[in-house]
Amino acid sequence: MYTRDYHYKPRKSVIRMDPDCAICHAPASLACDCEAKGLEVAVRQAEARMMQSIYNDIRSWVRAHAQDYILEYFRLLTERRKTAHAAHLENITAHAYRYYHAPPHPNEVANAQAALKRGIDEDWQASVQRYPEVLEYFYSLVELTLPDDNEQAVKDPPLSALSGQRKAQRRPGGGAPTIASGPSYAHEREALPRGRTPPPLEPRRTPGPPPSRRSYNRGPPPPPPTSYFPPY
């Protein structure tokens, strides 16, 4: 009988070494929320830098079109009321000359003028009260689109993972805006494409801010702060 040679191979040990908290340096086992709060601060800061001007443009566009609509709506109401007022004055004038062979009594004319003033006030009040629905309508025409997850700018952002600096190359032809270049939006007065904001994508750890479907050249964004974590 010959003994069989067994070659014992030790099993590789798996070492799990979770990093300590990047802010308070507490062990990972404590599961502190410092990094989560820091990320929220960074998201708000990035949104303010990259999206605030777009929000301002959208707000100005919606406000201007809503005001134009309300003023035109009020003009139509007052035109109809003034037409009815003129017809009423003609009727009382014809009635006075037919039966009294004299112009209408000044009190009748004053009452008609007062009724016209009350009617115009009611028309303006009714017009202004329509602002909420008119604003919501024009906001519904604004459409912000997210890039597809398979786009090159999303899968491989032009940022260097090692040095933290942006890569020198850019996508040919400009392409869709990236995290580095910022979102885009057109500062134009024509009506935006009709539609609503698309539903959110699948949950991700760090979703980027949604770029606009238009082109808005604002130049390079300001450099990010040295640290987005709140001081302690």
Side-chain angles (χ1 to χ4, degrees), residues 21-51:
C21 176
I23 301 176
C24 69
H25 307 294
S29 58
L30 296 182
C32 65
D33 60 351
C34 300
E35 294 177 356
K37 291 180 179 178
L39 179 57
E40 282 299 316
V41 173
V43 169
R44 288 195 297 268
Q45 291 176 348
E47 181 177 355
R49 288 195 304 269
M50 306 302 296
M51 302 297 293

